[in-house]
Amino acid sequence: MAVEPLASPIQVEHLDGGSLLLVRLARPKANIVDAAMTKALCSVFVEARTTAALAAVVLSAQGPHFSFGASVQEHLPDQVLGMLRGFHGLFRAIGEAAVPVFAAVRGQCLGGGLELAAFCHRLFAAPDAKFGQPEIKLGVFAPVASLLLPERIGRPAAEDLCLTGRTIDAAEALRLGLCDAVVEDPEAAALGHARERLVSHSASSLRHAVRAVRGPFLERFLPQLAGLERIYLNDLMATHDAREGIEAFLAKRAPVWRNA
């Protein structure tokens, strides 16, 4: 019996004569950012580099939730190297595309999903949106968030989210500066913002402006991310508790920590 191929993990729409790109995560309800989704998203941003008329990308999601985060299954020892390098490569691809990117978030936006949304230039959230970095509850840490959130919301608030693993609502996210607006329809708001404020500009000049305003940050962020990636793979994943946290989550049981 033939096996039906999986549908694409993302949905891509070219709008306004190619000046806007709407990209939706398309594996509801969880929209897990696994290797397949990461690869598909990377392809979008690699192509965006040479799409001359493109003024902005809006990153949204199908279903009630933006994303529950990266694949926990892919954190197992035989997959974690490829998973982490592929996921971190997505941020390099977004940076190299040098195009404005807006996130439209509904429901849960957790872990790798929050890292992806927070890396966008502006984040529009629905009133029901929930944000969190729960990695510490699994015995691991979030490399991208560890570098990105202090830039976006300040170190004390970033440390709180990364060290406690707690979830915050849209109102608190707005107060902290994690999101830029709370609106009933974040996808429509993101598209409207791009149409009203960006598409009248030269797409070529926008690329130069993005490089100018983000360049110094990326020059710090990318080397530091490579360093945290090595710590994650060589030090963290050599501990009992990191492996135990992942295995306990997958087995739906409470972890038994050894503090080592």
Side-chain angles (χ1 to χ4, degrees):
M1 180 177 173
V3 177
E4 289 290 331
L6 286 175
S8 173
I10 63 173
Q11 178 191 61
V12 179
E13 292 185 38
H14 299 266
L15 305 174
D16 295 45
S19 62
L20 293 178
L21 195 62
L22 174 60
V23 181
R24 295 190 183 100
L25 311 185
R27 291 275 174 82
K29 71 177 185 180
N31 286 316
I32 297 297
V33 186
D34 60 8
M37 185 176 285
T38 298
K39 182 178 180 180
L41 288 169
C42 278
S43 296
V44 166
F45 286 100
V46 168
E47 183 177 349
R49 278 187 239 169
T50 56
T51 306
L54 184 63
V57 176
V58 172
L59 187 59
S60 186
Q62 294 180 356
H65 302 291
F66 183 78
S67 175
F68 287 8
S71 167
V72 177
Q73 180 72 34
E74 291 176 359
H75 282 72
L76 290 171
D78 62 333
Q79 300 178 64
V80 66
L81 173 62
M83 179 280 299
L84 204 62
R85 289 186 176 169
F87 184 61
H88 292 169
L90 173 57
F91 295 89
R92 286 190 289 273
I94 296 171
E96 289 168 0
V99 63
V101 186
F102 301 150
V105 172
R106 289 187 177 278
Q108 301 286 337
C109 181
L110 305 174
L114 175 52
E115 290 174 316
L116 180 58
F119 195 68
C120 296
H121 296 87
R122 293 186 69 81
L123 195 164
F124 297 83
D128 71 343
K130 305 290 184 184
F131 302 91
Q133 298 289 164
E135 287 85 351
I136 193 64
K137 296 181 180 181
L138 276 67
V140 295
F141 69 89
V144 173
S146 299
L147 299 172
L148 176 62
L149 291 187
E151 295 273 344
R152 187 160 188 126
I153 62 175
R155 182 159 303 282
E159 289 175 348
D160 175 45
L161 292 183
C162 290
L163 300 181
T164 67
R166 75 184 183 95
T167 299
I168 63 174
D169 61 17
E172 185 170 0
L174 181 64
R175 179 178 63 79
L176 292 175
L178 182 57
C179 75
D180 300 288
V182 177
V183 291
E184 288 298 329
D185 189 337
E187 184 179 289
L191 288 169
H193 183 88
R195 286 176 174 131
E196 179 183 348
R197 303 194 179 187
L198 292 183
V199 297
S200 63
H201 301 326
S202 159
S204 172
S205 297
L206 275 172
R207 307 274 178 139
H208 288 288
V210 169
R211 291 187 187 102
V213 76
R214 275 228 163 173
F217 163 67
L218 290 175
E219 286 178 3
R220 299 191 311 274
F221 172 79
L222 292 174
Q224 290 172 346
L225 183 60
L228 286 186
E229 182 179 293
R230 289 191 294 271
I231 292 171
Y232 193 106
L233 293 170
N234 298 334
D235 299 339
L236 176 72
M237 294 310 295
T239 68
H240 166 273
D241 285 359
R243 297 190 300 273
E244 167 65 9
I246 299 299
E247 292 169 1
F249 178 88
L250 293 172
K252 296 181 172 59
R253 62 172 174 81
V256 180
W257 305 126
R258 291 185 186 171
N259 303 314

